[in-house]
Amino acid sequence: MKFMKLGTRPDTFFTTEAARSISSDVTTDLQIQVDNSMYHLHKFPLLSKCLRLQALWAETPDEAIIQLSNFPGGIEAFETCAKFCYGITVTISALNIVPVRCAAAYLGMTDGADRGNLAGKLDAFLNSCILRRWKDTLVTLQQTRQNTALCEELGITSRCIDALASMIISHCCKTNSPSKSRDSWVEDISELGMDLYWRVMLAVKSGGVVPAKSLGKALKAYARKWLPNVGKNGGKSGEISEGDDDSGGESVKEITMKQRLLLEKIVTLLPAEKGSVSCSFLLRLLKAGTILNASASCNMELARRVGLQLDEATVADLLIPSLSYDSETLYDVDVVITMLEEFMLQSQSPPTSPPRERLICERRRSRSAENVEFELHENGRRSSSASHGSKIRVAKLIDEYLQEIAKDPNLPMNKLIALAETVPEFARTDHDDLYRVVDIYLKMHPGLDKSARKKLCRVLDCKKLSVEACMHAAQNEMLPLRMVVQVLFFEQARSVISGSQVTNLPNGINSLLSKSNSGGDDENDMSELQRQESKKSETLRMKLEEDGISDSDSDDVFMPRRGRLTRNGSSRLKAAFCVIPTKPKKMMNKIWAMNKSVTERN
């Protein structure tokens, strides 16, 4: 740490009778009250260098005491200025230059009072030595918190901020390869108070030189230190470093207000580049914003930025607690819908070939031009593939998230459906995860009526269920009967198309399906089953009719709105339809009667 010595005389100040004085053969003739301390000094050395003391002495009656209350820099700074006036040796460094400079400004110790006065010497030392060294500048800037207004007026704060920003930018320009010491400044400036940190980072960001990832790293380190719920594993709440170091006298409301302001300032400093900060960090900021009741614009900006890189998130990241008085749900589903919509909006697949200006005079295209177009086409194709892959990952993420929130007994069904339907159909390679969502929600909400269960099941596409999922659905008592019928039909159709038998269904159903496919007489089978299980079959038929399945809408049962099978399908698909009985309602009645009979025997 650099220092400067002024004066040559030894220190002869002493304390007597609760007052500070100086050893001298000349009797003291000036009494100054600095806050709670009394000084007995001499007029000539002080009045010759201090314009304020000259004015106060002229206005004060003889033998009266000059009052200097609320003295900037405190008693120590005043005594340093007084010693300078006597020519006593004083040491100036980054630790005391700010309070001494503020005291010198207050006393009017400028060149206008005396050539080579204290204020000019301090400014020269600040500019030539302090502001050229990282640690000294940082310590000096921290000292400005004690006299904020006067330091701003003197330009000390702005000079320190500009110096720090210049050194950070210069350091990043000189460092070409990443290393552990490359961003050592990150931890250093994290000790600054909120306002000072924001101004330093704003100056660094406006330079346009420091990489976005380095800026993001600095913001992450500061947020971890001073904000709740943004640490690596959730972290403990930090305290704001602005103002007094001891925040024990502050109320919880005051601390929360400071942390909320800090969060909102951090959000304004986030680099615009995608990936400058991790998705998990943005989501931890969003959770902190929810807890601290940050402004709606702040939370929406965070949700928007999360949406830009939603494919990096995890289910745990998305479980943002809902603290709204208007909702009793455990998690904030609306903000996740916002993130998903933003992701789908920004990840639109680019055109296979970017638009290119055509010159009117161009009649021939060189080989190099064709090569350039091919490369552009390939790059566009690769970008499109990457976008498609990210959508598939996000679809998987959302389905896993839905499985978690479906356990919430207070979750409205319309929110679950809205989130599920926001995922584009092509992004789900199968609907097994979505089926688990429906199954969990039905189990957690057993009081849903028939129409609600039907509405919920409309998010499923039976053709995208695996054999295992179909097996589970076929025996799921919580599903509407219409849904079970569709599952059984499409599983049978799939087995016929693939040229194999449905081996994973219950034995009774397999045997009946095999018999029907071999061209057996449906009416004889029905008569035989009715003789064995007439009462049970009649009951099932009544349930089917209550569920809305009748001869008039049997086509709708087997032809759901997604992927309707048509007569224009492939020859193999037509063959599958040929072996499906022409009276599906009776066929399914037989399947259910046989299935129930087998279940009871087991």
Side-chain angles (χ1 to χ4, degrees):
M1 182 175 289
K2 284 285 186 179
F3 63 90
M4 174 180 68
K5 286 187 178 292
L6 299 174
T8 57
R9 294 179 57 186
D11 188 356
T12 56
F13 269 68
F14 66 94
T15 302
T16 178
E17 297 180 358
R20 293 283 287 169
S21 186
I22 183 172
S23 298
S24 175
D25 296 335
V26 181
T27 304
T28 60
D29 55 0
L30 181 64
Q31 298 183 73
I32 304 175
Q33 180 81 30
V34 182
D35 294 333
N36 297 323
S37 298
M38 177 65 72
Y39 283 87
H40 295 165
L41 303 172
H42 300 86
K43 292 179 182 177
F44 175 72
L46 269 74
L47 296 184
S48 63
K49 294 182 180 294
C50 303
L51 294 176
R52 180 178 288 271
L53 291 181
Q54 292 178 20
L56 292 174
W57 178 77
E59 299 171 358
T60 304
D62 292 342
E63 299 182 359
I65 300 174
I66 297 177
Q67 298 288 339
L68 297 178
S69 57
N70 299 321
F71 191 83
I75 298 172
E76 292 183 0
F78 172 80
E79 191 162 316
T80 300
C81 292
K83 290 178 179 178
F84 174 80
C85 294
Y86 281 99
I88 296 174
T89 302
V90 293
T91 302
I92 305 297
S93 68
L95 295 174
N96 66 348
I97 189 172
V98 172
V100 174
R101 180 64 181 89
C102 290
Y106 181 80
L107 293 172
M109 301 180 70
T110 62
D111 287 348
D114 186 33
R115 185 177 179 181
N117 214 338
L118 180 58
K121 292 182 179 294
L122 293 176
D123 285 340
F125 178 64
L126 177 68
N127 295 328
S128 62
C129 295
I130 297 289
L131 297 182
R132 294 187 179 184
R133 299 172 64 88
W134 172 260
K135 289 293 184 182
D136 289 352
T137 306
L138 197 61
V139 171
T140 302
L141 182 59
Q142 289 174 321
Q143 296 292 321
T144 62
R145 294 186 302 171
Q146 306 302 325
N147 299 279
T148 304
L150 189 52
C151 287
E152 291 287 356
E153 182 181 342
L154 296 173
I156 299 176
T157 306
S158 59
R159 281 184 283 174
C160 289
I161 289 173
D162 292 342
L164 287 176
S166 298
M167 283 186 276
I168 291 172
I169 293 173
S170 176
H171 176 71
C172 292
C173 290
K174 292 178 181 178
T175 309
N176 296 322
S177 59
S179 63
K180 291 184 178 179
S181 62
R182 178 176 181 177
D183 296 327
S184 58
W185 57 272
V186 168
E187 294 297 331
D188 291 339
I189 65 172
S190 66
E191 298 295 331
L192 293 173
M194 176 177 60
D195 290 335
L196 295 178
Y197 178 85
W198 184 79
R199 291 173 63 180
V200 170
M201 288 298 295
L202 194 63
V204 171
K205 184 179 178 181
S206 62
V209 175
V210 179
K213 285 189 175 293
S214 295
L215 293 174
K217 184 179 179 180
L219 293 172
K220 187 175 181 179
Y222 195 75
R224 280 184 174 180
K225 189 174 184 65
W226 301 115
L227 280 178
N229 302 314
V230 293
K232 188 172 183 180
N233 296 314
K236 63 179 182 180
S237 298
E239 294 177 353
I240 302 302
S241 61
E242 191 69 27
D244 294 334
D245 293 335
D246 183 12
S247 60
E250 293 184 336
S251 65
V252 175
K253 184 177 181 180
E254 290 173 332
I255 294 177
T256 300
M257 182 176 64
K258 287 184 177 181
Q259 291 176 337
R260 178 168 61 249
L261 180 60
L262 172 58
L263 172 68
E264 292 173 354
K265 287 197 171 186
I266 287 178
V267 172
T268 63
L269 290 172
L270 289 173
E273 292 82 355
K274 177 182 176 181
S276 56
V277 293
S278 65
C279 183
S280 60
F281 172 65
L282 291 172
L283 283 163
R284 287 197 294 271
L285 285 180
L286 185 55
K287 288 180 181 180
T290 302
I291 295 171
L292 297 172
N293 194 26
S295 65
S297 59
C298 174
N299 287 339
M300 285 301 295
E301 173 63 15
L302 286 171
R304 185 192 69 81
R305 294 184 66 94
V306 170
L308 297 178
Q309 47 197 98
L310 187 59
D311 53 328
E312 302 172 11
T314 64
V315 175
D317 292 334
L318 295 181
L319 296 177
I320 301 171
S322 176
L323 303 180
S324 173
Y325 293 105
D326 301 331
S327 175
E328 296 181 354
T329 57
L330 293 176
Y331 305 109
D332 191 342
V333 182
D334 293 331
V335 73
V336 177
I337 294 177
T338 301
M339 297 174 194
L340 182 57
E341 290 175 343
E342 181 65 29
F343 175 80
M344 293 302 170
L345 181 65
Q346 62 90 29
S347 61
Q348 297 292 335
S349 298
T352 56
S353 181
R356 196 165 56 87
E357 294 183 359
R358 295 182 178 179
L359 298 176
I360 299 177
C361 62
E362 180 184 9
R363 297 190 178 184
R364 291 186 178 182
R365 302 175 60 188
S366 64
R367 171 63 64 181
S368 60
E370 293 178 358
N371 292 338
V372 169
E373 182 180 358
F374 176 76
E375 291 177 1
L376 292 175
H377 177 83
E378 286 298 305
N379 291 335
R381 185 180 60 81
R382 294 189 189 111
S383 299
S384 178
S385 299
S387 176
H388 181 77
S390 64
K391 288 182 180 179
I392 292 177
R393 289 193 299 272
V394 168
K396 182 72 173 177
L397 171 69
I398 294 300
D399 286 350
E400 292 176 355
Y401 171 77
L402 286 169
Q403 293 177 46
E404 290 296 325
I405 66 172
K407 302 172 185 177
D408 181 6
N410 296 321
L411 178 65
M413 187 178 69
N414 62 330
K415 285 192 176 183
L416 184 139
I417 294 175
L419 182 56
E421 291 182 342
T422 305
V423 178
E425 183 63 26
F426 73 86
R428 287 191 175 101
T429 56
D430 63 68
H431 276 211
D432 284 13
D433 288 334
L434 198 56
Y435 169 72
R436 294 187 188 97
V437 173
V438 172
D439 183 48
I440 293 171
Y441 192 84
L442 290 176
K443 289 177 180 177
M444 295 301 298
H445 302 78
L448 287 179
D449 58 22
K450 182 172 57 179
S451 61
R453 287 186 288 121
K454 284 183 179 179
K455 182 179 179 181
L456 177 62
C457 289
R458 289 196 187 105
V459 301
L460 292 174
D461 186 350
C462 298
K463 299 188 299 299
K464 287 192 173 184
L465 293 178
S466 66
V467 175
E468 292 77 11
C470 288
M471 279 289 299
H472 190 279
Q475 304 176 64
N476 192 340
E477 297 180 356
M478 301 297 296
L479 292 177
L481 292 179
R482 177 187 293 266
M483 180 68 190
V484 177
V485 170
Q486 291 178 3
V487 169
L488 290 172
F489 173 79
F490 282 113
E491 182 59 24
Q492 169 66 4
R494 180 164 53 189
S495 68
V496 172
I497 291 173
S498 63
S500 61
Q501 298 295 327
V502 185
T503 59
N504 290 327
L505 292 175
N507 294 332
I509 297 178
N510 276 330
S511 61
L512 180 58
L513 290 176
S514 299
K515 188 174 182 180
S516 65
N517 288 339
S518 62
D521 188 354
D522 295 337
E523 297 298 333
N524 292 336
D525 290 338
M526 188 62 180
S527 299
E528 181 180 356
L529 287 171
Q530 285 177 341
R531 285 195 298 270
Q532 296 176 359
E533 302 278 351
S534 59
K535 185 176 180 179
K536 297 176 182 178
S537 179
E538 183 63 27
T539 302
L540 256 178
R541 185 181 296 105
M542 291 173 63
K543 288 184 178 180
L544 282 169
E545 292 174 353
E546 290 175 359
D547 200 57
I549 301 178
S550 60
D551 291 333
S552 61
D553 65 356
S554 59
D555 288 339
D556 182 59
V557 174
F558 297 100
M559 304 294 180
R561 57 188 177 89
R562 296 180 182 176
R564 182 183 296 271
L565 299 176
T566 64
R567 296 181 181 178
N568 297 325
S570 64
S571 59
R572 197 169 189 182
L573 193 60
K574 292 180 180 179
F577 270 95
C578 292
V579 298
I580 296 294
T582 57
K583 297 182 179 181
K585 177 183 172 182
K586 293 182 179 180
M587 182 63 196
M588 297 316 300
N589 277 335
K590 293 188 292 181
I591 293 174
W592 276 102
M594 178 64 73
N595 184 27
K596 191 164 187 180
S597 175
V598 171
T599 303
E600 290 178 353
R601 288 198 299 271
N602 292 336

